[in-house]
Amino acid sequence: MNKKAGVRNQKKCKGQAMTEFVLAFPTFFTVMLASMQFFSYTYQLTSLYYAANEGARAAVTSPVLGPSQVKQAVSDAVAVALKHHPMEYELGPIEIPRDEVLPITVTLTAKSHAALTAIVPGLDRLTVRASAYRSQMGEPRSVPLRTS
């Protein structure tokens, strides 16, 4: 009689384990995919921020005179910075102040490829602004203005 009771308990345990797996696996899988998408979004934002910093640095360090040459230097620096991180981006207005003490500001906007954009509104476009200016020692220094 004990042998039959042991067999029944084993069958119950197998059924219980399968039920727990069916309940726990979708939750675990969803959390795993959400974290992967979050890190993908963060990676895109970091790459875009780095490219904006490089563009601002190029604008400050390039010995050019006109705004069109500055824009070309910035777009070249951004293209080099994003060479290993392919994404569609748009170079926004480059604010070049007349005063040499004020910073030059570069704005980059890109479309996010993360699936989080379907869940959270407002995450479909990444906009990054970076600013660079010459310090008193004459070396370029980058300062983040705003990330949204």
Side-chain angles (χ1 to χ4, degrees), residues 5-147:
V7 171
R8 282 188 206 147
N9 284 340
Q10 276 185 337
K11 287 182 180 178
K12 272 188 178 180
C13 287
K14 285 183 183 178
Q16 180 183 358
M18 183 175 287
T19 304
E20 288 176 359
F21 176 76
V22 166
L23 292 175
F25 181 73
T27 305
F28 171 74
F29 191 68
T30 303
V31 168
M32 187 177 69
L33 284 180
S35 64
M36 287 172 52
Q37 288 299 315
F38 174 75
F39 290 124
S40 171
Y41 180 81
T42 306
Y43 177 74
Q44 288 175 349
L45 187 64
T46 304
S47 298
L48 196 64
Y49 179 70
Y50 173 73
N53 268 343
E54 288 300 311
R57 187 174 291 122
V60 169
T61 58
S62 63
V64 293
L65 300 173
S68 62
Q69 289 97 356
V70 170
K71 186 164 185 160
Q72 184 61 40
V74 168
S75 65
D76 291 344
V78 167
V80 168
L82 290 177
K83 180 173 62 172
H84 299 294
H85 317 290
M87 67 174 71
E88 298 175 21
Y89 66 91
E90 179 182 319
L91 185 60
I94 300 171
E95 300 169 16
I96 305 172
R98 297 184 189 273
D99 190 4
E100 290 185 15
V101 178
L102 297 174
I104 294 177
T105 304
V106 175
T107 305
L108 283 178
T109 304
K111 184 179 179 196
S112 176
H113 299 291
L116 291 173
T117 58
I119 301 169
V120 181
L123 292 181
D124 57 341
R125 298 199 60 79
L126 304 169
T127 302
V128 175
R129 292 183 71 197
S131 178
Y133 63 93
R134 289 196 177 273
S135 67
Q136 294 175 351
M137 300 300 285
E139 58 197 36
R141 201 170 102 181
S142 293
V143 176
L145 286 182
R146 180 187 69 181
T147 303

